[in-house]
């Protein structure tokens, strides 16, 4: 089985968005570089623009490209799904998406897309691992990610830390309670306007 990695872009004070779900300039580093992000399907890859118009620094691209390529499934909450309309059935990475929700998939919504609506974090992670096989399960940070970490279902925490202070908003770890120990970071990469960090979860 592949690892379960909790991931998101985050401010230095630990927020992934403000109270109104505005990410501000948190994602600017995805578009401020000169290296386009390649597609897994090179035949469909526009080398001038890259996937989704992403243009990163060479350092960040060298980190993000293999990480995204290793993702098999993304796990997200219903709020995130509703905000993005599920990326219109085309996730930025992976072949499948598992949505933690007590409500079913919207009727008629992109029937061709491999999106699975599962009630509860633990069964959602189990479904994602089944779908991912040996590839990574990427869990969106926030409430769902925090619940998965608290339940002992996360193997690693990945943070793209941006030098901005929000002061308040939606927390990277959601409303998680108690202390949860991480190992020393095994990835520390400085990009332009972003610091890429990965920590294994202590067992």
């Amino acid at each position: 089985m592949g690892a379960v990695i909790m991931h998101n872009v985050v401010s230095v004070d630990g927020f992934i968005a403000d109270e109104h779900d505005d990410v501000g300039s948190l994602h600017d580093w995805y578009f401020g570089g000169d290296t386009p992000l390649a597609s897994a399907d090179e035949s469909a890859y526009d080398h001038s623009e890259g996937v989704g118009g992403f243009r990163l620094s060479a350092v960040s691209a060298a980190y993000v490209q293999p990480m995204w390529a290793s993702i098999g499934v993304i796990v997200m909450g219903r709020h995130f799904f509703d905000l993005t309309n599920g990326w219109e059935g085309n996730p930025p990475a992976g072949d499948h998406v598992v949505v933690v929700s007590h409500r079913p998939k919207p009727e008629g919504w992109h029937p061709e897309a491999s999106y699975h609506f599962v009630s509860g974090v633990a069964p959602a992670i189990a479904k994602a691992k089944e779908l991912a096989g040996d590839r990574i399960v990427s869990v969106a940070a926030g409430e769902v990610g925090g619940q998965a970490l608290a339940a002992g279902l996360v193997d690693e925490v990945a943070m793209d830390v941006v030098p901005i202070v929000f002061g308040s908003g939606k927390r990277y770890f959601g409303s998680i309670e108690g202390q949860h120990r991480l190992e020393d970071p095994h990835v520390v990469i400085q990009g332009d306007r972003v610091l890429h960090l990965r920590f294994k979860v202590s067992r």
Side-chain angles (χ1 to χ4, degrees), residues 7 10 23 25 28 32 43 55-56 64 89 96-97 100 102 111 119 123 128 132-133 137-139 168 171 187:
H7 175 246
V10 60
V23 298
S25 59
D28 286 1
S43 65
R55 297 184 68 85
L56 293 70
V64 171
H96 315 276
V97 173
V100 180
H102 296 296
S119 179
V137 172
S138 176
V139 182
S168 63
R171 294 189 174 279
V187 172

Side-chain angles (χ1 to χ4, degrees), residues 111-125:
E112 77 289 352
S114 182
Y115 278 56
H116 307 263
F117 288 64
V118 179
S119 179
V121 170
I125 297 295

Side-chain angles (χ1 to χ4, degrees), residues 3-26:
V4 176
I5 301 179
M6 179 179 173
H7 175 246
N8 215 325
V9 182
V10 60
S11 68
V12 292
D13 56 343
F15 295 99
I16 57 176
D18 69 13
E19 294 90 341
H20 307 291
D21 297 305
D22 187 346
V23 298
S25 59
L26 277 179

Side-chain angles (χ1 to χ4, degrees), residues 152-173:
L153 302 173
V154 172
D155 300 307
E156 292 187 33
V157 170
M159 310 175 83
D160 299 317
V161 184
V162 174
I164 184 172
V165 176
F166 271 44
S168 63
K170 305 294 179 69
R171 294 189 174 279
Y172 180 95
F173 292 101

Side-chain angles (χ1 to χ4, degrees), residues 2 9 17 41 78 84 108 119 148 175:
V9 182
D41 178 5
R78 184 58 181 255
T84 62
S119 179
S175 54

Side-chain angles (χ1 to χ4, degrees), residues 38-124:
S39 168
D41 178 5
E42 287 295 322
S43 65
Y45 173 34
D46 179 345
H47 287 266
S48 64
E49 292 298 327
V51 176
F54 293 125
R55 297 184 68 85
L56 293 70
S57 70
V59 170
S60 287
Y63 167 72
V64 171
Q65 183 71 55
M67 182 177 180
W68 282 23
S70 67
I71 293 171
V73 182
I74 293 174
V75 177
M76 64 195 306
R78 184 58 181 255
H79 183 64
F80 189 14
F81 173 85
D82 289 341
L83 279 174
T84 62
N85 197 31
W87 302 295
E88 299 297 342
N90 294 298
D95 300 316
H96 315 276
V97 173
V98 175
V99 182
V100 180
S101 176
H102 296 296
R103 291 177 285 140
K105 182 189 297 187
E107 187 175 350
W109 184 88
H110 295 287
E112 77 289 352
S114 182
Y115 278 56
H116 307 263
F117 288 64
V118 179
S119 179
V121 170

